[in-house]
Amino acid sequence: MRVRLNYVFLVLLLSCSVQREKQQNIAYVLSGKMITLEKGACLAECKEYKITIDSKGNMQYQANRNMPQKGKFTAQLDKKFNEEFWKAVAETNLFSFNDKYDIDAEDTQLKKLEYTDGTQKKTILYKHMVPQPISALEYKIETLIASAKWQQAS
């Protein structure tokens, strides 16, 4: 009986520890700004990738298809470009846009833009028809992809 009680106590203690760790991870993610652009596959020669940029300028990039290189990469934005990028994100005011644009179109690439400002999260799904500020932000992200000094991730 005593062994069982010790075992139950140990299980409860460990589960509390795991829950606390999960909450800390969630708090870390929500403590800063983060944006992710993911472009899915299509029937043509679409670039297929996922990039995440955090408020400190850390970039994680997964290049899948129709990209010059494939695999996982990391890079760091310099301070000036990072400040300019996040100013452009703020000016776009992503929370003011719909959650979906033109996603019923067939045979076209689905794109997903996710953004958190540290307290709330916004996800926008779109294909062709999207407001100009969103396509301008997508272009800015693609410019960062093309100009970054990517390092192969382990």
Side-chain angles (χ1 to χ4, degrees), residues 11 21 30 48 64 109 145:
V11 169
E21 186 177 320
L30 294 179
E48 184 183 343
N64 296 322
Q109 185 177 44
I145 291 171

Side-chain angles (χ1 to χ4, degrees), residues 109-132:
Q109 185 177 44
L110 180 64
K111 301 170 189 177
K112 179 166 70 170
L113 187 64
E114 292 181 310
Y115 170 66
T116 180
D117 67 357
T119 59
Q120 53 186 337
K121 184 177 178 181
K122 176 72 172 182
T123 301
I124 302 171
L125 298 173
Y126 61 100
K127 289 192 176 182
H128 282 299
M129 307 301 285
V130 65
Q132 191 279 333

Side-chain angles (χ1 to χ4, degrees), residues 23-38:
Q23 290 172 343
Q24 288 171 344
N25 289 343
I26 291 169
Y28 171 76
V29 169
L30 294 179
S31 67
K33 297 178 220 166
M34 189 178 307
I35 193 162
T36 299
L37 175 62
E38 185 172 0

Side-chain angles (χ1 to χ4, degrees), residues 72-86:
K72 292 183 180 183
F73 302 89
T74 60
Q76 177 71 43
L77 283 174
D78 72 32
K79 188 175 179 177
K80 178 184 173 199
F81 283 123
N82 191 48
E83 288 173 0
E84 290 173 2
F85 174 73
W86 286 104

